[in-house]
Amino acid sequence: MHISSATPCNCLAFRQAARHVSQAYDQALAPFGLRTTQFSILVHLAQSGPWSIQALATRLVMDRTSLGRTIKPLERDGLIVTDVDSADRRVHVLRITPLGQTRLTAATAGWAEAQARFETAMTPQRAASLRETLTHVTRTEF
């Protein structure tokens, strides 16, 4: 099988861009003891209350196993807790703790710094257009 160099790989471009952006955000969040994905989990739990592990994995476009590995340090550090759903004991629900809320509030400064650097480098219009395009990509089946 021959892959033409005239046809750039979309997946490679996405993964390289994702790693590049994630590294910048991770660096800004490091002083707060968080990685980008952990920050996103805390934001979701803080903004919309408890989520089941499966629902949160779906929302973040992650598989359950990856989400499980990502939440372990958050649980260990007391930033989130896992409860059993009272309506269905097979379902585990994540919620942010007061300590998690405090850490999230502090880390928001690091996130805002990374966000501002990205917006400056890309321009706000291009950044908004990119977010719109990427949202479309995650909702597209191909």
Side-chain angles (χ1 to χ4, degrees):
M1 176 179 174
H2 175 72
I3 299 174
S4 169
S5 61
T7 306
C9 178
N10 297 314
C11 185
L12 177 61
F14 271 106
R15 291 178 70 85
Q16 288 173 325
R19 282 191 293 270
H20 181 69
V21 173
S22 292
Q23 288 169 0
Y25 278 77
D26 282 343
Q27 187 177 45
L29 292 170
F32 307 97
L34 294 173
R35 297 187 54 86
T36 305
T37 307
Q38 294 168 327
F39 180 82
S40 297
I41 290 167
L42 293 176
V43 167
H44 277 80
L45 296 176
Q47 289 180 345
S48 55
W51 283 70
S52 74
I53 291 175
Q54 183 60 51
L56 186 59
T58 299
R59 175 78 170 114
L60 295 175
V61 191
M62 294 177 76
D63 60 77
R64 281 181 56 122
T65 304
S66 296
L67 179 60
R69 282 192 306 270
T70 304
I71 64 172
K72 290 260 187 256
L74 297 174
E75 288 177 310
R76 179 196 65 223
D77 295 346
L79 305 180
I80 64 170
V81 293
T82 304
D83 297 319
V84 175
D85 188 337
S86 59
D88 185 346
R89 304 214 34 92
R90 296 170 297 172
V91 176
H92 292 91
V93 178
L94 304 172
R95 76 179 158 77
I96 192 168
T97 65
L99 181 60
Q101 184 62 57
T102 299
R103 177 84 59 90
L104 175 61
T105 299
T108 299
W111 173 85
E113 173 195 322
Q115 188 81 351
R117 286 195 338 253
F118 184 85
E119 297 267 332
T120 298
M122 293 292 296
T123 76
Q125 296 81 10
R126 287 181 81 183
S129 177
L130 179 60
R131 283 190 304 275
E132 182 180 325
T133 298
L134 294 174
T135 298
H136 179 74
V137 168
T138 61
R139 294 183 178 148
T140 301
E141 295 294 327
F142 59 95

